[in-house]
């Protein structure tokens, strides 16, 4: 794509903001433009084109960055092109780079195709040195501002370009503030700042072994390189991994003439979003500071003012800003996140981009824009991600528990409610520990004074985030919103001592409260409250009217059915409320684990006589019947898929290790004559018998052992009882006028003969029950496809099975030869970290492997039986990317846990929008097959 | 196929021996003829056609049998056709059925398409009753013979048709012999036999509740039915299952005019084979008895005479017999097993069939017939089964051990050497127990007075067979030879008391020896010796010149390469001797289990510091290098495929249960103050640490856990050491002028990235070693295909892998979702018994499932890399039916254990003969892909 520069034969590496037309000549789409110029640069150029007040500047392309990273050197022609562009900039501004008389200052900012806020580097105020600083002071009549700009350059350049840590700089500032008795850097006088600048240069020299470059062109060149390099920084890489951004894009570099919001009280700087990005309400929101530079707003070191105040403080600038905001939202057809500076009453636009937003805001904005006919409903659907919907399903605090917590005085602080949802966890004070404890399955809340990009991995691992500083647009707030982590920031009553791992909370009355690492806290990102200890969370509610409207649109678009995995009537009821169109998986064995049933199940398994076994089955029958009765009534008329017992029997018995230990203890005591030999002997005999029984069921690889249909064949009485219970319940419901559609699912089929044998036996039971009841129930028998052999012999299996349901948990295990239980805490983590697997195949379907087997099974199955119903009931059924694959494979429905149903509804709609709903309906397939 | 009889409209159920032409009209092939008439009937008809002296008779077809079995009744028309045929027989013989003046007697014999000797029923002497017996006595002037025939009829009819046990009949005979003081039934006078017959009829009446039918036609009808029914008898079913004969063929029934070998000293009866069926030597072999009926020869109740004696006793009959034998062998182009009777000097042929033979005989006969140009070499190859070849690989006794055993007086008996090979096992006295103990993996030798068809399942389960009675053609001998079980029969010095489960052995000197169930014995089926206790067996030898010749022919026919699975140089040497063309699998971890290495491996696994780990690796390196050095030298120039470490690490550590037990014992003792607390505490700490370490490696499903390539990625040092050892050895060999072709095989690949990562790392090690040695070794990296995902993504995997080797053990486990360890002692047995699986997929490749995945992998792999080498190294590589599939799939080679190599060579030749050698050679594939 690189164009050859006319003057020499090097590729073209640079475009000015006013050269968008040239770019578009070889970038046919806006996406291509962003890929070349980065999002920030592309938008600056676009704003320039539509006549908005953007300071002059130019963009070093992502191609230049990639060329640099490939060779670790400036590509041929880049530096000369950069100097030419600088000359253009001098001409446009009438200032000269390095000229003390009228110095041009520029910023050097990263800007990749996809926004990665704060993840890469920026250097402001390039062009300053002792001479130009003095010149600037004279020119602006603002010595303080000039020296403040200079010291910021040295500090920022030192950190970004020369790798000097912040701490020594901050120490100098701290001392200076202490000497002057001020709390804010802005209150330091010019002389102090001059001294500080000198001290900063000494620090740079001492820490990096190199001088701070006084030559502005050297500054520019080195800053450009540093921005290039920051693409490869660890935090940028971590972010990309988390956000799914490819690693090979590179960043563009924006060189922009500096404008100053800190030239006095007629200057200001701020950020705003064109709508409220927490709630989605249609009003301009943001923060600004008078007499400040942009970074001050983001850093949250000074208390910012809400944007509404600007209207009274600078009416003209506000009106202009509001006009531009509205224009940008219409222009980009989405809510914008803008940065601006007012320099001596003149408004400059420094950035615009699609605003990040909370899930709630995303839904509302999408629905509002569609209803206002600014976008289509399809676009609205695509603007909301499945994760956004998921967010509505996040736990919220139980109102009663909150009331109680407040009454108990456990509400210990409040802050800014920047990312909604409730979180409960143990405090941790750094990102590494947060990650580590989360891996150990502990719920943690990460607490920091403020977060930096280095903290992202910890934030992702935590249940929630607390910071004592920062505002709504702080790093912590942005990241939390993006990843749906509940967060409260700017809790000024808190003092975080990360070293001592203690937070001290000042309270209106009484002594300060101290919490240490490991203490439990609860936070409500929706209200901004923080509580000591655990506060109960409650089941999510999805009664948001915008969400309901959006999901209705989704339902009218999607082709995939959305069913639920539900074991109990209460789950079934919830699933229906959330939109389930059937039950795709009822795991009957879950019912066996209930307290009053487990002893019966254990006696059944250990029974040595048929009489005892029959007795236990007779006791279990009415319980199972009641279960199914409840399910049928809850789903009234919708299909209910019931899987017969699946897990190996030993799962219902005490753990072997425990019993073996008890036996050994008894044996040892007996041999040491500790206690009554007769009593011990009796006890030993009992335990020994239990141990022997458990051992007879013990397997090397239970996952691949006696379970599923194998169990049904080995011990037919149990599954016969289950089928009897199903049909007795179905007949009873039908008698009561409740429509029933039981689908009986036989798990773990590897060979068609297993299914045939089992199904024949069970259909006989079904017939007996229906005959006895004088009822006919419409039922179907089918199977899980969860073993590779079942997939590749699906044509044979479909001779008997009337439906297939992909059990993708097991299918993934067997297709990969990976035991999930072992791997997810072991080598699979290592594989994901090393990039051997791009993602966990137990979370997202492995399209290439498991997906291919599914495709084979579907093709073969429908060849035998064109009207074969095919669904999925593995956990993947609730994963959006897996749902996309299921759509493409032509499944009839996905089945997932009730709380994933709204997510699945949207994801299914996305799939239909992306790939078209071209799957022929079953009726068509049937006809096509007949033709 | 059933033709309508002209006279009525019923199908034609019956053909006379002289009506073969009619049969052939609608049976185009000899196979069809045999299917309709049974083997025995077809051959009797054929002998009739070529003019041999066959008594007149007719055949009730297998179709009639099937019709009878389907409806449990004589099909329409059968009985009237049978009576018509009987009338023809009367005409042919000039005798009349049931006519005391000139009674026709007939035999009623079963005869299915495939020979099932002794498995179904036969009734002789039909047509006798009090009147006809008297008539026969008068006619033959042999009252004794007539009454003997009658009493035989009653006994045989009682047993076969009326279900009366033998024991009460035998008791009557025993008493009669005792009263007369004779040891042989033949010495009982006619009067006694008349009494005995009367007693027999009383027994039948008492035991069955029904009269023995005196009407000859009722006898015939009931006998025909009984023969039909015997097709469904348990022993026939067991036999068919073992021999792979389909269950739905049915048996024909041969009704033949009786001829008598017991009409005096000018009469005789005998069996013979046209060559020696033990050794294959070209001479008529067999046994006969003067003045006897056929069953006396087979039963072995009288001492038979070798056929050579017939030459002097009955020269004319012998010459005629020898002439016919030679004629039949030429006619059928194979060695024949014939039955004959001489009735008053006239020779009658009662049966001919292809002779069952020992493996040694099969090979020699095939080679001799081919060299005599009676059959082609291809036919010769197809006449020898892989099992025959396998037999040459059965253990033989170590000559030194035999010599020692003889010197120690442990040779306790000798008998007839009817089925070669050495067997060692514990004595069991009945078939059920033999089967049961074999299932528990115990080596057993089954001992009986004589065997019956009911015993076959025990004989199959036993390592070897001993009987105190019976001859070379006894049931025991026939079955043992067919199934390759070493057997010694006719050990007359032994008295077997099956009830008391004791065998008493009379010895030339000293007191009789008693052995009880469970005592160890060793037997040599090649020499006929029996030894007390265990005698060491030695590695088989395959230096039989006929076998060598045959395998040479196989090599020139087959397309599949035959490689060996060999872990040690000694295995490699043996493999080459047996014809291996390379090593397809060296399991490097086997080397780790050796006594001096295991402690190092354990310390390596448990190492907590890098130093300790490196130290252990440094100690293991030279050992592994020496292993590989030996392998390369043994295989000089042939490819050696080395699989890097595969099993989960916990396999190298003590068993968790044991260590856990020790910990519990120590804890309990400590808590009960049993012993020195300090010492106990120290011991406990050590054990506890070991337990913790083992637990950290413990997995729910180790088969699907941290093993194979996963281990290599997790702990790279170990595989790096292995590759270093391989290349150091290879360089050293090459320096010594030994050609080396190492192929490094990375196991358990599921995703191409695993292979790429591992291979890249290891190729770097290889390069380093070669650079350091200044050598270049020609090597290849490849992978096992043993996980379904590897098979279905083989196109990606072949981008890196230069060869594939199917690990069909694991591939079968994952494709079926079956853990072999658990299943083969559990539900898999149940599945095989219930017919859910026709055969154990771990023994014979599952073509439909696993085979399909293999086909996919081959197609995809060669699409990426047309010259991809593909082999198999699972146990299936030595299984003939799996080899056939491998040939059809287009594999390059099979690799199997050294002792299966000759088997594989023949099986590969069979595959090529059956399916053609159409697989394009690699060079062709490469060219085709380029075109």
């Amino acid at each position: 794509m690189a164009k050859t520069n006319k003057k020499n034969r090097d590729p073209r590496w640079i475009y000015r903001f006013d050269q968008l037309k040239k770019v578009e000549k070889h970038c046919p789409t806006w996406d291509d433009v962003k890929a070349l110029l980065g999002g920030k640069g592309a938008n600056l150029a676009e704003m320039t084109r539509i006549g908005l007040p953007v300071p002059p500047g130019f963009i070093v392309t992502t191609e230049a960055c990639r060329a640099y990273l490939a060779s670790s050197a400036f590509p041929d022609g880049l530096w000369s092109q950069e100097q030419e562009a600088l000359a253009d900039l001098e001409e446009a501004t009438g200032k000269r780079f390095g000229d003390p008389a009228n110095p041009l200052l520029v910023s050097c900012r990263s800007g990749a195709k996809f926004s990665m806020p704060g993840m890469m580097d920026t250097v402001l105020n390039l062009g300053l040195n002792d001479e130009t600083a003095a010149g600037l002071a004279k020119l602006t009549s603002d010595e303080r501002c000039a020296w403040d700009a200079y010291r910021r350059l040295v500090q920022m350049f030192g950190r970004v370009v020369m790798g000097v840590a912040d701490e020594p700089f901050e120490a100098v500032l701290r001392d200076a503030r202490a000497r002057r008795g001020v709390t804010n850097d802005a209150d330091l006088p010019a002389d102090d700042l001059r001294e500080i600048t000198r001290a900063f240069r000494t620090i740079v020299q001492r820490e990096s072994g190199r001088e701070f470059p006084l030559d502005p062109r050297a500054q520019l060149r080195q800053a450009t390189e540093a921005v290039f390099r920051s693409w490869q920084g660890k935090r940028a890489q971590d972010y990309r991994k988390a956000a799914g951004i490819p690693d090979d894009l590179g960043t563009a570099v924006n060189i922009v003439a500096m404008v100053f919001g800190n030239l006095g009280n007629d200057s200001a700087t701020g950020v705003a979003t064109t709508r409220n990005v927490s709630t989605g309400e249609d009003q301009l929101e943001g923060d600004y500071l008078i007499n400040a530079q942009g970074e001050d707003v983001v850093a949250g070191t000074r208390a910012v003012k809400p944007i509404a105040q600007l209207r009274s403080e600078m009416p003209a600038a506000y009106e202009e800003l509001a006009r531009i905001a509205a224009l940008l939202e219409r222009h980009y057809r989405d809510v914008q996140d803008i940065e601006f500076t007012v320099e001596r009453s003149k408004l400059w636009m420094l950035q615009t981009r699609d605003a990040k937003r909370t899930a709630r805001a995303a839904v509302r904005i999408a629905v509002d824009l569609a209803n206002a006919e600014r976008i289509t409903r399809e676009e609205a659907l695509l603007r909301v991600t499945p994760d956004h919907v998921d967010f509505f399903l996040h736990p919220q605090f139980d109102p009663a528990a909150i009331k109680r917590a407040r009454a108990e005085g456990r509400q210990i602080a409040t802050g800014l409610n920047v990312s909604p949802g409730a979180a409960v966890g143990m405090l941790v004070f750094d990102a590494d520990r947060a990650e580590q404890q989360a891996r150990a399955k502990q719920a943690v809340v990460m607490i920091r004074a403020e977060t930096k990009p280095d903290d992202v991995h910890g934030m992702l691992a935590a249940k929630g985030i607390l910071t004592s500083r920062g505002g709504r647009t702080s790093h912590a707030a942005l990241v939390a919103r993006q990843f749906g982590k509940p967060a409260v920031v700017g809790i000024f009553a808190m003092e975080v001592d990360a070293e001592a791992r203690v937070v001290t909370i000042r309270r209106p009355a009484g002594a300060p409260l101290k919490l240490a690492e490991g203490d439990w806290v609860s936070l409500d990102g929706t209200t901004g409250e923080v509580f000591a200890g655990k506060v109960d969370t409650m089941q999510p509610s999805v009664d948001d009217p915008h969400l309901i409207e959006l999901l209705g649109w989704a339902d009218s678009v999607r082709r995939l059915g959305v069913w639920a995995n539900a074991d109990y009537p209460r789950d079934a009821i919830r699933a229906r409320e959330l939109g389930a169109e059937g039950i795709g998986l009822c795991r009957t064995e879950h019912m066996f684990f209930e307290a009053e049933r487990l002893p019966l199940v254990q006696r059944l398994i250990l029974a040595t006589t048929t009489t005892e076994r029959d007795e236990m089955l007779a006791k279990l029958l009415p319980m199972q019947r009641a279960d199914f009765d409840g399910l049928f009534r809850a789903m009234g008329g919708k299909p209910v898929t019931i899987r017969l017992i699946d897990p190996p029997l030993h799962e219902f018995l005490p753990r072997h290790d425990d019993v073996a230990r008890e036996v050994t203890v008894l044996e040892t005591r007996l041999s040491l004559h500790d206690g009554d030999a007769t009593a011990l002997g009796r006890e030993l005999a009992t335990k020994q018998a239990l141990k022997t029984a458990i051992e007879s069921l013990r397997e090397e690889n239970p996952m691949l052992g006696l379970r599923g249909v194998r169990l049904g064949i080995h011990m037919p009485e149990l599954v016969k009882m289950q089928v009897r219970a199903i049909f007795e319940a179905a007949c009873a419901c039908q008698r009561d006028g409740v429509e029933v559609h039981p689908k009986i699912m036989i798990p773990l089929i590897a060979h068609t003969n297993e299914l045939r044998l089992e199904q024949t036996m069970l259909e006989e039971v079904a017939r007996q029950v229906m005959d006895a009841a004088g009822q006919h129930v419409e039922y179907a028998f089918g199977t899980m496809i969860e073993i590779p052999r079942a997939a590749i012999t699906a044509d044979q299996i479909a001779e008997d099975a009337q439906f297939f349901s992909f059990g993708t948990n097991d299918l993934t295990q067997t297709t990969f030869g990976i035991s999930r239980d072992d791997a997810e805490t072991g080598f699979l983590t290592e594989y994901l970290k090393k990039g051997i697997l791009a993602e966990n195949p137990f979370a997202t379907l492995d399209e290439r492997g498991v997906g291919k087997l599914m495709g084979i099974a579907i093709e073969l199955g429908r060849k035998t039986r064109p009207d074969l119903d095919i669904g999925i009931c593995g956990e993947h059924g609730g994963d959006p990317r897996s749902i996309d694959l299921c759509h493409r494979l032509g499944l009839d429905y996905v089945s997932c846990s009730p709380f994933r149903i709204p997510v699945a509804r949207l994801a299914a709609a996305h799939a239909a929008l992306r790939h078209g709903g071209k799957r022929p309906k079953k009726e068509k397939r049937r006809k096509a097959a007949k033709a």
Side-chain angles (χ1 to χ4, degrees), chain A:
Chain A
M1 213 192 286
K3 265 282 187 191
T4 301
N5 188 306
K6 278 172 196 158
K7 293 181 194 165
N8 53 44
R9 322 184 102 239
D10 299 319
R12 174 154 193 166
W13 302 118
I14 282 179
Y15 293 94
R16 287 201 314 270
F17 290 169
D18 57 359
Q19 291 179 318
L20 193 53
K21 267 228 168 83
K22 287 200 171 155
V23 176
E24 286 177 339
K25 267 186 207 154
H26 37 94
C27 290
T29 71
W30 184 242
D31 211 58
D32 298 331
V33 174
K34 285 202 293 182
L36 184 64
L37 302 185
K40 183 185 288 177
N43 284 331
L44 285 167
E46 179 71 8
M47 285 196 289
T48 303
R49 166 153 70 183
I50 61 174
L52 299 187
V54 174
F58 58 85
I59 305 151
V60 185
T61 66
T62 56
E63 277 180 3
C65 173
R66 291 195 293 270
Y68 173 84
L69 292 174
S71 65
S72 289
F74 260 39
D76 287 346
L78 173 56
W79 183 236
S80 62
Q81 289 177 33
E82 195 165 350
Q83 294 195 84
E84 283 165 36
L86 190 64
D88 292 346
L89 208 49
E90 290 175 327
E91 204 178 302
T93 56
K95 303 177 182 181
R96 291 180 59 81
F97 203 49
D99 178 0
N102 191 13
L104 170 65
L105 304 193
V106 298
S107 63
C108 178
R109 294 167 189 267
S110 61
K113 177 176 179 185
F114 301 105
S115 170
M116 295 165 58
M119 293 297 132
M120 290 177 301
D121 287 326
T122 283
V123 188
L124 304 178
N125 304 340
L126 292 166
L128 284 174
N129 54 25
D130 295 349
E131 288 76 32
T132 52
L136 183 67
K138 212 152 101 192
L139 203 71
T140 59
S141 315
D142 190 341
E143 212 177 354
R144 207 208 68 82
C145 167
W147 287 105
D148 188 47
Y150 190 14
R151 75 90 190 160
R152 283 176 196 257
L153 169 64
V154 178
Q155 179 174 3
M156 211 180 265
F157 196 96
R159 177 163 53 76
V160 170
V161 182
M162 306 180 78
V164 179
D166 255 341
E167 181 45 34
F169 298 118
E170 293 296 336
V172 168
L173 285 170
R174 213 158 39 227
D175 289 353
R177 288 196 300 268
R179 258 199 312 278
R180 284 284 163 193
V182 298
T183 58
N184 206 312
D185 296 340
D187 299 328
L188 293 170
D191 287 350
D192 287 16
L193 290 167
R194 190 185 292 114
E195 282 311 307
I196 287 168
T197 307
R198 202 163 297 145
F200 276 17
R201 286 178 50 200
T202 312
I203 289 169
V204 168
Q205 158 74 25
R206 188 185 68 218
E207 300 282 321
S208 74
R210 284 176 298 149
E211 286 280 357
F212 169 79
L214 295 174
D215 172 9
R217 279 164 207 271
Q219 290 171 8
L220 179 61
R221 180 171 178 135
Q222 289 179 34
T224 305
E225 277 192 272
V227 172
F228 284 159
R229 282 198 306 267
S230 68
W231 175 260
Q232 300 291 51
K234 182 182 176 335
R235 61 182 205 235
Q237 291 191 18
D238 287 352
Y239 185 95
R240 287 201 293 274
K241 202 169 159 189
I245 299 173
D247 264 338
D248 56 359
L249 300 177
T251 182
V253 184
N254 299 283
I255 314 290
V256 194
M258 287 295 298
V259 292
F260 295 92
N262 55 350
L263 293 187
N265 287 334
D266 58 350
S267 298
T269 190
V271 296
T273 54
T274 58
R275 299 191 185 212
N276 181 313
V277 291
S278 281
T279 65
E281 275 175 288
D282 184 9
Q283 62 184 49
L284 192 64
E285 293 273 345
D287 309 296
Y288 74 100
L289 284 170
I290 297 285
N291 197 15
Q293 271 203 327
E295 50 175 339
D296 300 324
V297 179
V298 179
T301 40
R302 276 168 63 188
V304 297
K305 297 178 184 176
I307 201 82
Q309 275 192 34
L310 190 65
R311 181 172 234 154
S312 46
E313 287 202 300
M314 295 181 174
Y318 179 84
E319 287 312 316
E320 171 81 348
L321 179 67
R323 187 188 64 80
I324 289 174
L327 188 152
L328 284 171
E329 194 183 278
R330 271 179 193 271
H331 186 75
Y332 285 107
R333 305 174 73 238
D334 201 0
V335 174
Q336 295 296 296
D337 174 350
I338 56 188
E339 286 182 23
F340 64 92
T341 282
V342 181
E343 188 186 67
R344 292 190 172 148
S345 301
K346 159 84 178 147
L347 177 70
W348 293 101
M349 299 303 298
L350 302 183
Q351 170 156 313
T352 190
R353 58 185 175 190
D354 291 348
K356 307 225 184 266
R357 62 206 71 178
T358 64
R360 189 176 298 271
V363 169
R364 175 159 177 185
I365 291 167
V367 170
D368 284 352
L369 289 178
N371 284 334
E373 295 186 358
R374 300 254 214 104
I375 59 175
T376 64
R377 286 185 175 179
E378 286 71 23
E379 283 176 296
L381 283 168
L382 289 169
R383 291 240 177 127
V384 176
T385 66
D387 280 351
H388 287 145
V389 174
D390 183 44
F391 185 77
F392 283 85
L393 301 156
H394 277 321
Q396 307 292 338
F397 284 127
D398 175 356
I402 284 286
K403 207 168 153 188
R404 217 163 35 242
R406 285 194 192 115
E408 291 163 356
R410 282 164 56 201
Q411 198 232 60
I412 51 175
T414 55
L416 297 173
N417 53 338
V418 292
S419 184
V424 180
M426 288 182 280
L427 285 178
V428 288
F429 284 77
D430 70 83
D432 288 343
R433 189 158 312 185
E435 192 177 57
Q436 184 185 329
Q437 298 207 6
R439 210 176 286 152
K441 308 273 178 219
Q442 287 177 330
V444 296
V445 166
M446 182 160 150
I447 185 166
R448 302 286 289 167
E450 58 191 324
T451 64
K452 295 193 178 168
D454 304 337
D455 294 323
V456 171
H457 63 291
M459 299 167 76
L460 293 176
K463 296 286 177 192
I465 297 143
L466 296 175
T467 70
S468 57
R469 297 167 69 177
R472 285 191 194 286
T473 52
S474 66
H475 178 262
L478 277 176
V479 172
R481 274 203 295 278
Q482 186 178 5
F483 293 106
K485 296 284 173 190
V488 179
V489 305
I491 313 167
F492 287 101
M494 291 201 322
E495 215 148 77
V496 178
D497 185 341
E499 192 112 326
R501 300 184 175 275
V502 162
V503 55
T504 308
I505 302 154
R506 288 184 304 277
R507 323 185 76 181
L513 181 73
K514 276 179 195 288
L515 294 178
E517 192 149 79
D519 286 346
W520 284 88
V521 293
S522 303
L523 64 100
D524 189 337
T526 317
T527 64
E529 290 171 292
V530 184
F531 299 88
K534 301 190 208 178
V535 176
D536 290 345
T537 53
M538 56 173 289
Q539 296 307 347
S541 108
V542 283
D543 53 6
D544 181 287
H546 297 97
L547 181 64
I548 290 168
E549 191 168 1
L550 188 86
L551 290 176
W553 300 348
D555 291 344
S556 70
V557 161
R558 65 185 163 87
R559 287 290 169 275
L560 275 173
V562 176
W563 296 19
N565 297 350
D567 304 335
Y568 303 98
R570 62 175 180 276
D571 298 338
I573 291 165
R574 181 162 305 118
R576 282 198 75 169
E577 286 167 2
L578 293 169
E581 297 159 293
I583 290 181
L585 175 64
C586 162
R587 287 155 289 219
T588 51
E589 64 270 12
H590 280 195
M591 303 165 173
F592 290 169
F593 283 106
E594 297 201 351
E596 85 267 31
R597 301 181 187 185
L598 190 56
L600 300 178
V601 174
Q602 291 182 341
R603 281 184 57 197
L604 171 69
I605 295 168
L606 300 175
T608 49
T609 66
T610 323
T611 322
E612 195 182 357
R613 183 184 283 191
D614 289 348
E615 194 186 322
M616 294 307 118
L617 286 168
K619 284 185 181 168
L620 286 166
L621 175 65
M623 298 178 182
Q624 284 253 298
R625 190 170 51 216
D627 297 329
F628 300 132
D629 192 272
L631 278 181
F632 291 141
R633 288 174 202 270
M635 295 305 291
K638 295 193 185 295
V640 175
T641 313
I642 298 163
R643 180 180 71 186
L644 302 180
I645 187 168
D646 183 50
L649 293 181
H650 71 80
E651 287 195 11
F652 299 100
L653 299 180
R655 286 183 60 238
H656 174 269
D657 285 5
D658 298 341
V659 179
R661 195 190 147 76
E662 287 171 0
V663 165
T664 305
V665 169
L666 287 168
E667 282 172 353
T668 312
R669 286 179 59 199
L670 204 55
S671 76
L672 297 177
H673 309 293
D674 174 59
D676 174 44
T678 320
L680 282 174
R682 228 183 351 250
E683 201 183 340
L684 177 58
T686 309
K687 289 284 176 197
Q688 186 69 60
L690 179 61
K691 180 167 171 262
T692 307
I694 295 172
E695 279 171 356
S696 76
L697 292 169
R698 211 179 178 200
E699 295 177 307
E700 280 295 311
N701 300 288
M703 227 288 295
L704 306 177
L706 184 60
R707 46 176 288 244
V709 67
R710 300 161 191 177
L711 207 53
I713 288 171
H714 178 69
M715 196 194 260
E717 302 81 1
L718 186 51
V719 286
K720 279 180 167 175
M721 180 278 284
Q722 293 195 303
V723 170
R724 174 166 294 279
I726 292 168
F727 280 85
E728 286 181 355
C731 288
C733 285
Q734 208 164 261
R735 211 168 18 235
D736 295 351
V738 178
E739 204 186 323
V740 285
H741 293 293
K743 296 169 65 128
I744 294 101
M745 185 152 74
I746 298 174
L748 215 74
I749 294 295
H751 195 290
T752 178
N753 287 352
E754 294 173 293
L755 180 62
R756 184 159 300 172
L757 186 79
E758 184 88 341
Q759 185 170 334
T760 307
M761 175 182 87
L762 295 177
E763 289 205 86
E764 173 59 22
V765 173
R767 208 190 45 71
Q768 283 168 8
V769 174
M770 291 189 292
D771 285 356
Q775 297 264 335
H776 178 74
V777 173
E778 242 198 64
Y779 67 90
F781 270 85
T783 181
M784 308 269 290
I785 301 289
E786 53 186 339
I787 297 284
R789 197 180 185 286
I792 53 184
T793 61
D795 45 348
Q796 296 183 310
I797 288 173
E799 285 169 18
D800 294 287
Q802 292 163 271
F803 65 90
F804 284 177
S805 180
F806 285 105
T808 47
N809 298 347
D810 271 9
L811 189 59
T812 301
Q813 294 199 87
T814 44
T815 303
F816 271 88
I818 286 181
S819 165
R820 181 175 191 176
D821 290 341
D822 301 318
E824 276 193 340
T825 56
F827 70 87
L828 197 58
T829 320
E830 207 174 328
Y831 270 31
L832 292 167
K833 206 179 286 170
K834 288 186 174 157
I836 295 172
L837 294 177
E839 48 211 344
N840 181 344
F842 294 107
T844 297
L845 272 175
D846 158 50
E847 181 164 351
R848 190 73 212 245
V850 178
K852 185 163 176 183
L853 275 182
M854 290 171 70
I856 291 173
I858 292 165
E859 196 195 317
L860 292 177
R862 291 215 172 115
K863 207 161 76 184
T864 299
R865 191 185 286 262
D867 61 343
L868 188 71
D869 252 320
I870 305 183
I872 176 176
C873 62
E875 276 176 52
H876 300 95
D879 170 65
R881 268 184 297 166
S882 307
I883 291 170
D884 190 270
L885 177 58
C886 290
H887 175 93
R888 283 180 280 132
L889 286 170
L891 264 66
D892 293 296
Y893 68 88
V894 298
S895 185
C896 56
S897 76
F899 293 114
R900 295 295 291 178
I901 285 177
V903 174
R905 289 162 67 193
L906 180 70
H910 280 186
L913 290 172
R914 277 194 216 103
H915 312 292
K918 302 298 177 285
R919 182 176 65 81
K921 286 265 177 196
K922 213 180 300 171
E923 195 47 45
K924 276 202 202 145
R925 283 207 311 273
R926 203 178 292 133
K927 280 186 192 147
K930 279 186 186 155

